[in-house]
Amino acid sequence: MIVTMVSVPDGGTTRVSVPEARRRLATDRFLLLGVELPETEGPEDEPVVRRLGLDDEDLEWFGRQGASPRAEFLGEFAGFVVPVVHGGQVAQVHALASERFLVIAHWGHRIGLTADLTAQVRRERPHDAVAALFLLLQEALATFRRAAVESLLQVEELEDAMFQGRRPEQVYRLSQLRRRSAVLHHALLPYLQGVDEVITRRMMSRDFPLERQRVAQEFQRAARLVLADIESLQDATRRAFASYGSLVAGEQNGVINRLAIVSVIFLPLSFLTGFFGMNFTFLTNRLETRDEFWLLAVGLQLVAVVGSMFLLHRSRIWRRLRDDE
């Protein structure tokens, strides 16, 4: 376990030992700690809160992989399991906040949220740990917003490319983007519901400061906007699939129209061929000369072809096929 301390005035980071982190958590009035955990964790490993000197049975979920999105107010502590988007995947960051400190836990180097939070601290310079916590929550929302907007632009580019030239791989790419929108929505919605419930309950308390109410309301507004962006991405993928289906249907209609034209031309020919191929008395006894053969067998077929082409030229099918071309 690697513990990094963030300096609030300048946003600088310093690596400290676990005993030093425990001492600072017990004494400092305002402390920001980032805890980097190993990728794999054994079942016998001691809980992170115990290693940091925060012995509380309700907090043993902190630093455990696989926890579901969480937002809880536990007396003097507030605990969060925050989903973030990093490297195209949804990962988790655990946050534990009190009036004096904010501890952020993540695994390995997969999550770049700590660096982003450090930059936010350098710019915003929060005056307490709760303000720093809302900076963390806002930055986590920003990762979802960036992922949703990036995917939405890709859907629009694919939709434009489909109208220029439809290709089978576009369906596969759209399927990936639709799955991505579902993953983003599935990861963010339960978390936002839990956070909104906790924030609303805290805002109803009389001892909740007005400044924190303003920050909390700003977070709720940003959360609704991010959720709307993800829902817009879902709608865009559905629209793109519908557009692709319309293009396929249009191409199939063109093929059917061509088959109809061929059928109209060859159907009279097939009838005449079948008719004059019958061996009944009129044909065998009366049609004896070559002129009669050319007149009836070939002449009627030419009349049938010319008549069919004339009818097709005047019909709606021919005009529709010409417009498609």
Side-chain angles (χ1 to χ4, degrees):
M1 185 175 75
I2 301 174
V3 182
T4 304
M5 184 176 63
V6 181
S7 176
V8 176
D10 58 2
T13 59
T14 305
R15 183 173 295 183
V16 297
S17 63
V18 175
E20 177 66 13
R22 295 182 60 155
R23 187 186 66 81
R24 300 292 294 268
L25 282 172
T27 58
D28 285 16
R29 298 181 57 186
F30 182 18
L31 185 64
L32 299 182
L33 291 180
V35 179
E36 182 180 314
L37 300 170
E39 294 283 348
T40 58
E41 182 183 28
E44 70 281 356
D45 290 344
E46 188 179 12
V48 177
V49 288
R50 291 184 184 175
R51 283 182 271 178
L52 294 176
L54 304 174
D55 295 330
D56 193 327
E57 294 182 357
D58 293 332
L59 299 177
E60 291 192 356
W61 55 266
F62 183 79
R64 296 289 188 186
Q65 292 198 50
S68 58
R70 181 188 299 260
E72 294 181 352
F73 180 71
L74 305 169
E76 61 176 314
F77 299 113
F80 296 85
V81 176
V82 186
V84 297
V85 181
H86 180 69
Q89 302 293 329
V90 177
Q92 289 182 348
V93 169
H94 290 200
L96 188 63
S98 70
E99 295 289 340
R100 297 186 300 105
F101 61 80
L102 172 63
V103 183
I104 305 169
H106 60 90
W107 287 265
H109 297 282
R110 293 180 302 170
I111 309 301
L113 196 62
T114 304
D116 297 333
L117 179 62
T118 303
Q120 288 284 353
V121 169
R122 187 181 299 114
R123 289 193 298 266
E124 302 291 339
R125 297 188 177 184
H127 56 277
D128 58 13
V130 176
L133 170 65
F134 277 103
L135 286 180
L136 169 68
L137 300 183
Q138 289 278 14
E139 190 60 34
L141 284 180
T143 62
F144 278 89
R145 180 186 297 111
R146 288 191 291 267
V149 172
E150 179 184 359
S151 299
L152 182 60
L153 293 176
Q154 293 179 14
V155 171
E156 293 177 349
E157 291 175 357
L158 276 174
E159 193 170 9
D160 292 338
M162 282 190 307
F163 287 103
Q164 296 177 2
R166 184 181 64 84
R167 297 186 299 275
E169 59 268 19
Q170 292 168 342
V171 177
Y172 177 71
R173 183 57 184 154
L174 280 176
S175 300
Q176 288 182 320
L177 292 171
R178 185 169 184 176
R179 174 59 182 166
R180 182 175 178 82
S181 67
V183 169
L184 293 177
H185 190 267
H186 181 75
L188 187 63
L189 184 59
Y191 162 72
L192 291 183
Q193 289 177 342
V195 174
D196 187 69
E197 181 181 350
V198 170
I199 290 178
T200 303
R201 188 166 64 246
R202 288 296 296 155
M203 289 176 61
M204 295 176 62
S205 176
R206 295 181 179 180
D207 59 351
F208 197 67
L210 293 177
E211 179 64 21
R212 292 183 183 176
Q213 289 186 17
R214 184 188 64 80
V215 176
Q217 290 172 352
E218 178 64 22
F219 169 79
Q220 289 177 318
R221 185 188 68 83
R224 288 192 292 269
L225 292 177
V226 173
L227 195 60
D229 289 338
I230 295 176
E231 292 173 350
S232 298
L233 173 60
Q234 291 180 313
D235 293 337
T237 54
R238 297 189 188 100
R239 184 183 65 246
F241 269 110
S243 299
Y244 190 89
S246 298
L247 291 174
V248 173
E251 293 178 2
Q252 291 178 345
N253 288 336
V255 173
I256 293 174
N257 288 338
R258 290 180 176 87
L259 291 176
I261 291 174
V262 172
S263 300
V264 169
I265 293 174
F266 282 94
L267 186 62
L269 300 180
S270 300
F271 171 76
L272 292 175
T273 302
F275 179 80
F276 286 100
M278 298 179 183
N279 294 323
F280 53 88
T281 306
F282 177 79
L283 291 177
T284 56
N285 296 337
R286 301 295 179 89
L287 300 180
E288 298 179 350
T289 66
R290 181 180 301 176
D291 294 337
E292 292 176 341
F293 169 77
W294 285 106
L295 178 63
L296 295 178
V298 179
L300 286 178
Q301 295 192 28
L302 290 177
V303 171
V305 170
V306 172
S308 300
M309 294 296 295
F310 177 76
L311 293 177
L312 283 174
H313 184 72
R314 298 296 300 273
S315 68
R316 193 182 310 172
I317 297 177
W318 185 274
R319 290 196 299 270
R320 185 182 303 170
L321 184 62
R322 184 178 58 189
D323 293 339
D324 292 340
E325 294 293 339

